[in-house]
Amino acid sequence: MDTVVPQAYLNNTSTAPDWLNKGDNSWQLISATLVGLQSVPGLVILYGSIVKKKWAVNSAFMALYAFAAVIICWVAWAYKMSFGEQLLPFWGKAGPALGQKFLIKQAALPATTHYFSDHTTVETAMATPFYPMASMVWFQCVFAAIALILLAGSLLGRMNIRAWMMFVPLWLTFSYTVGAFSLWGGGFLYHWGVIDYSGGYVIHLSSGIAGITAAYWVGPRTKSDRERFPPNNILLMLAGAGLLWMGWAGFNGGDPYSANIDSSIAVLNTNICAATSLLVWTWLHVIFFGKPSVIGAVQGMITGLVCITPGAGLVQGWAAIIMGILSGSVPWFTMMIVHKRWPLLQKIDDTLGVFHTHAVAGLLGGTLTGLFAEPVLCSLFLPVTNTRGGVYGGLGGVQFMKQIVGGGFIIGWNVVVTSIICYLISLLMPLRMSEEQLKIGDDAVHGEEAYALWGDGEVYDPTKHGFSSPDKTTHGKLARGTTELI
């Protein structure tokens, strides 16, 4: 009796899809997993550790909730708005990415066929990677999720969790999908030739600008929290930061949509730039403040990762070092000097400085890509032939201007749309927590606390000769106000 092997396990036979490349498919799924680990548990741990103890649970949960909510919204309608058929020059047609017929066919980004100026002759064909649509949908999903989680960093310590639950799907739908389609999915910036290799604009610039815009609408933390906001666990913060750094191999290495030589260049450049940026930020702290800051080192690491992202697979190693030097100094200057002297930035409470680490670093990386994009590397990835950075002559100067215009579009769209979203939500519910919640923190918002320390959140019960948990309806007031410890 002949043994029948399921088709999913076949390869290099007449019954297997001729487009399937198991190496590419493996790398894409690994890359997606690495990017997912940046968020869960990476940023969940980082956010829960870098904030004051009373906000650890809330901060971690904002990240966890966003990750889950984005997944459902993405497959229900947002993927096709970002990478489907064109509806408008900056937007795709909404639709589900859930059906078997859609998910098992070869991956394709429908609106990416690139034509010459006559609009009839194909310059670069549609992107059709050698794996199923399911791999592409999931890879792009974790990118969308981390954008929302990065944005949350501006709002920690005071945003109404119910307002955040509304904000996530609205911003994903009306902001993220526009940037993604415009620059990646086949929109007008994609066809014009604006470069964003892996999300310097789509993810980092948009989340940084939207974050500080939303922070303006939500308002600042309490005065006591703004004056003193020490991390509750620096070592765990470093663990989250490490997951973020190592996960960036999938972030930038997966964006050629293939396990090819361009992905190798991207991963190497990512680590070169991040390491350089971390060292420069640390040196600046030593020079000006006399001590190396661990939190500052993490910020320098992040700005380096963000800065290289729009050009990771398109620049040479020496350019990655220059980008690292600038990403370790320019955002440092805006955060440590400009922020403290500009009244508007002082008024807006950007909890984790996402504007500096992501918006400033993302825009810096995008413009530097317009200078350093190497022609041969560009030909491996970009749809517009003869693309090159400004230092390589020719049309490089035009490319630099395109990068500025592309960044301007992302900035303008996010300021306007994020403001509209926040205003509409405010009509239905407060954007900020109540004063009681702001004073108490996690226990009031979630009925949970991050750490069970001795005598913390417990009431002495003399009949039991020990401690017992207080009635959660009191939000821990009894423990803080009347407990007698012996």
Side-chain angles (χ1 to χ4, degrees), residues 231 234 237-238 278 281-287 289-301 332 336:
I234 287 183
M237 178 200 72
L238 287 174
L278 184 154
W281 195 292
T282 301
W283 294 336
L284 288 171
H285 257 74
V286 172
I287 292 169
F289 304 120
K291 296 179 181 179
S293 166
V294 177
I295 296 176
V298 170
Q299 289 170 326
M301 175 203 83
W332 181 92
M336 300 298 170

Side-chain angles (χ1 to χ4, degrees), residues 57-79:
V57 172
N58 182 256
S59 299
F61 182 70
M62 284 182 70
L64 184 64
Y65 177 85
F67 191 80
V70 167
I71 292 173
I72 301 305
C73 297
W74 190 251
V75 296
W77 67 80
Y79 172 78

Side-chain angles (χ1 to χ4, degrees), residues 63-375:
L64 184 64
Y65 177 85
F67 191 80
V70 167
I71 292 173
I72 301 305
C73 297
W74 190 251
V75 296
W77 67 80
Y79 172 78
K80 289 189 176 180
M81 295 179 74
S82 304
F83 296 96
E85 300 289 346
Q86 179 172 301
L87 174 66
L88 298 170
F90 54 87
W91 229 353
K93 297 178 182 177
L98 290 166
Q100 165 226 339
K101 291 183 179 179
F102 176 76
L103 293 174
I104 67 171
K105 69 179 183 180
Q106 183 177 7
L109 306 183
T112 60
T113 300
H114 203 278
Y115 297 92
F116 284 103
S117 57
D118 61 9
H119 302 295
T120 55
T121 306
V122 174
E123 182 175 7
T124 303
M126 180 191 301
T128 53
F130 301 113
Y131 44 76
M133 282 298 313
S135 297
M136 177 63 75
V137 171
W138 176 236
F139 178 74
Q140 298 295 351
C141 178
V142 288
F143 274 71
I146 200 172
L148 262 301
I149 295 172
L150 293 173
L151 191 162
S154 295
L155 307 170
L156 302 182
R158 82 279 199 183
M159 188 171 189
N160 179 0
I161 191 65
R162 292 178 178 83
W164 174 244
M165 293 166 73
M166 289 189 64
F167 182 90
V168 170
L170 289 172
W171 190 84
L172 174 72
T173 302
F174 295 102
S175 185
Y176 182 84
T177 59
V178 170
F181 187 83
S182 297
L183 281 156
W184 287 344
F188 74 109
L189 294 176
Y190 175 91
H191 288 292
W192 191 41
V194 177
I195 301 172
D196 188 6
Y197 183 88
S198 192
Y201 284 176
V202 175
I203 295 172
H204 300 293
L205 181 59
S206 65
S207 62
I209 294 298
I212 198 169
T213 303
Y216 168 81
W217 285 92
V218 174
R221 289 165 290 172
T222 61
K223 183 180 179 181
S224 61
D225 277 357
R226 291 197 76 180
E227 291 175 349
R228 179 164 173 74
F229 205 70
N232 68 83
N233 195 321
I234 287 183
L235 295 182
L236 266 181
M237 178 200 72
L238 287 174
L243 286 167
L244 194 66
W245 187 346
M246 293 299 99
W248 226 280
F251 202 99
N252 288 346
D255 251 306
Y257 304 145
S258 173
N260 58 23
I261 57 177
D262 206 33
S263 59
S264 299
I265 294 289
V267 172
L268 180 59
N269 281 338
T270 297
N271 288 282
I272 291 172
C273 187
T276 304
S277 184
L278 184 154
L279 296 176
V280 170
W281 195 292
T282 301
W283 294 336
L284 288 171
H285 257 74
V286 172
I287 292 169
F288 288 94
F289 304 120
K291 296 179 181 179
S293 166
V294 177
I295 296 176
V298 170
Q299 289 170 326
M301 175 203 83
I302 292 172
T303 56
L305 293 167
V306 170
C307 184
I308 195 62
T309 291
L314 307 175
V315 303
Q316 298 188 65
W318 59 264
I321 292 177
I322 294 175
M323 293 173 77
I325 293 171
L326 292 172
S327 66
S329 54
V330 174
W332 181 92
F333 179 77
T334 64
M335 180 180 287
M336 300 298 170
I337 307 300
V338 175
H339 189 102
K340 296 176 181 178
R341 298 182 180 180
W342 192 358
L344 177 61
L345 290 178
Q346 282 285 292
K347 180 181 178 181
I348 301 174
D349 183 17
D350 180 0
T351 307
L352 299 186
V354 177
F355 171 76
H356 304 284
T357 56
H358 293 275
V360 173
L363 183 61
L364 177 67
T367 53
L368 290 175
T369 298
L371 291 178
F372 297 132
E374 200 277 331

